[in-house]
Amino acid sequence: MGLAYRLGDQLPDLALDVLTDARSSDVDAEVPGWDRSVRGFVALALHRLGLG
């Protein structure tokens, strides 16, 4: 998600795949040490890229 902000439209395809897979997933990703929903951050990253 941070790469979307740092690299913008130069985001690697693999990172974009991770974001789009996370958006379409029914289950919120579990990130160790993170207690908030990841979906909102994925949506913001895709919006930043003009895809959401």
Side-chain angles (χ1 to χ4, degrees):
M1 292 172 274
L3 284 177
Y5 284 90
R6 294 183 69 199
L7 301 178
D9 63 357
Q10 296 177 350
L11 187 71
D13 289 339
L14 182 57
L16 183 57
D17 289 345
V18 169
L19 285 174
T20 56
D21 287 348
R23 178 177 66 174
S24 64
S25 175
D26 288 336
V27 179
D28 203 6
E30 290 187 26
V31 179
W34 189 258
D35 61 351
R36 292 192 270 172
S37 174
V38 175
R39 279 191 183 156
F41 292 99
V42 169
L44 288 172
L46 290 171
H47 180 73
R48 172 89 171 176
L49 296 170
L51 301 172

